[in-house]
Amino acid sequence: MVARITTMFEERMSSEKQLVGGGTEMIESSSLKSHVNHQIGAYYALFLVMAMGMLGTVLATNLIEFYVFFEVMLIPAFFMLAIWGYESRRRVALLFFFWTHVGAVILLLGFLSIGLSVGSFNYADIKAHGIPPHVLALAAVAIIVGLTVKMASFVVHMWLPHVYRASPTPLNALSSGAMLGVGAYGFFRLIIMLMPGQYEHFALALNIWGLATMIYGGVMALVQDDIRKLFAYSSISQMGYILFGIGSASMLGLSGSEMMFVSHSLGKVILFMMVGAIILQVGTRSITKMGGLAGKMPITAVCSMIGALTLMGVPPTSGFMAEWTMFYGALQTALQQGSMIRMITFGLGLVATVITMAYVLWMIKRVFFGKLPEALEKTKEANWYVTGPMMVLAGFSVVIGIYPDVFFNQIIPFMKGLVGV
């Protein structure tokens, strides 16, 4: 962020210098140091408000609290994108705000229909009294649509690639690692727990929708040159995995879906840190202009490979246990129900994992291996502020992959009660 703020300051000063006729004369409203300090202060304030919104959404005890914090989470992201983003940042910020706000408003309609019919917005009261049948289906559809907009699922995903392309890198990491997953949390909290009957009716549709999102996101990621757009479509695909697991309607599938969110967060944040390191050290986001960086940035390359293995679901990373559990649960449901449609979605889901491997390995090969371009001969490893956190997160992924019971001992008993096992 310091590098981005400094670049923006220098561009503004250069523009003002040209306005007064060039030469050595330049208008300076403040020194670079004070400008950076002021901007970084504003950035961290917005960052903390966004974190507060995410925590508030998870800790909410009624529907109105959920909605308020859901919106609070989006407002700081809008300003961070509009102020420090790249290229058409203000237009993209408006696009982001429009789509996410549309999803939130649809969600609110579902909340209002539930609260007004039950007479309370509290989760406990809704669970105790039940939702009247005449509003149940409408509320469920509204909540599902609102949450899938937030998760950038297939059909309602159009906003996410533009946002990732224009966002500052920390916002990319936070959005992919946590913000999108709040939509997945909403499915567990609002649909599965409050409307178990409706969840059973919609589970197969969610399973198919997740499959379509997995495949579409993976195929689109394969053809990207901008590394940020590649990860944008990768995030769409990964949210598809989570939605696929949610639609499995089984204890293991739901547990795997939850772990998939944790695993996705670890792997994707590592890779976004890689993007930040490359932008700082190389100065480009074009994959075709890179190559051979493993020799110049070995720590980044190793951590990125662990992040890539996590996304691909390869042992000993957390991604392997998440995918194994999720797909096993999906297959279990297909066999128990004798559903040919679920068997087909299971098979195509395995095909989607091959697509994921293809775009991740293709990206790693083009960035870190092959011939090093002459322009990158002087490239150095990123500093410890960048590589240190990458190493810690890579370690977490391996530890959870080897000892998955750290996660499963907590979540599986809950899921057993949730699905009535």
Side-chain angles (χ1 to χ4, degrees), residues 217-362:
V219 171
M220 290 299 293
L222 268 173
V223 298
Q224 301 303 316
D225 178 55
D226 186 320
I227 196 167
R228 285 194 176 183
K229 288 196 72 173
L230 184 150
F231 286 137
Y233 285 107
S234 170
S235 293
I236 292 171
S237 180
Q238 293 291 307
M239 287 299 108
Y241 279 88
I242 295 173
L243 194 59
F244 181 88
I246 290 172
S248 68
S250 73
M251 177 266 294
L252 288 176
L254 292 173
S255 299
S257 180
E258 285 276 5
M259 191 174 181
M260 191 72 195
F261 170 52
V262 175
S263 177
H264 160 76
S265 298
L266 288 172
K268 191 55 67 68
V269 171
I270 291 171
L271 292 175
F272 269 120
M273 288 182 174
M274 174 202 79
V275 173
I278 288 174
I279 291 175
L280 281 172
Q281 304 303 114
V282 177
T284 182
R285 296 176 351 205
S286 175
I287 297 175
T288 55
K289 295 180 181 179
M290 303 178 199
L293 289 176
K296 299 293 184 179
M297 305 174 70
I299 297 176
T300 300
V302 171
C303 292
S304 299
M305 196 63 212
I306 294 174
L309 293 175
T310 302
L311 284 194
M312 291 188 292
V314 175
T317 64
S318 59
F320 171 73
M321 289 308 302
E323 288 191 18
W324 173 272
T325 307
M326 184 185 69
F327 280 112
Y328 186 84
L331 178 60
Q332 189 178 52
T333 301
L335 294 175
Q336 288 175 352
Q337 295 182 358
S339 172
M340 182 57 65
I341 295 176
R342 284 193 177 275
M343 288 296 295
I344 292 172
T345 59
F346 169 78
L348 292 176
L350 296 180
V351 173
T353 65
V354 175
I355 297 174
T356 300
M357 291 182 182
Y359 75 71
V360 171
L361 291 175
W362 182 232

Side-chain angles (χ1 to χ4, degrees), residues 153-155 157 205-219 236-237 240-241 243-244 345 348-349 352 355:
S153 299
F154 180 58
V155 178
H157 68 280
L206 294 176
N207 192 251
I208 296 171
W209 199 348
L211 174 66
T213 305
M214 291 160 64
I215 294 175
Y216 173 80
V219 171
I236 292 171
S237 180
Y241 279 88
L243 194 59
F244 181 88
T345 59
L348 292 176
I355 297 174

Side-chain angles (χ1 to χ4, degrees), residues 66 70 147-148 150-151 178-192 238-239 242-243 246 257-258 260-261:
F66 186 100
F70 196 79
L147 293 175
T148 49
K150 182 69 185 70
M151 291 178 69
M179 281 182 65
L180 294 179
V182 170
Y185 167 78
F187 272 101
F188 283 92
R189 175 75 267 190
L190 304 173
I191 299 295
I192 301 175
Q238 293 291 307
M239 287 299 108
I242 295 173
L243 194 59
I246 290 172
S257 180
E258 285 276 5
M260 191 72 195
F261 170 52

Side-chain angles (χ1 to χ4, degrees), residues 78 93-103 149:
F78 166 78
L94 287 172
L95 177 70
F96 163 77
F97 189 78
F98 170 79
W99 272 101
T100 53
H101 191 62
V102 164
V149 171

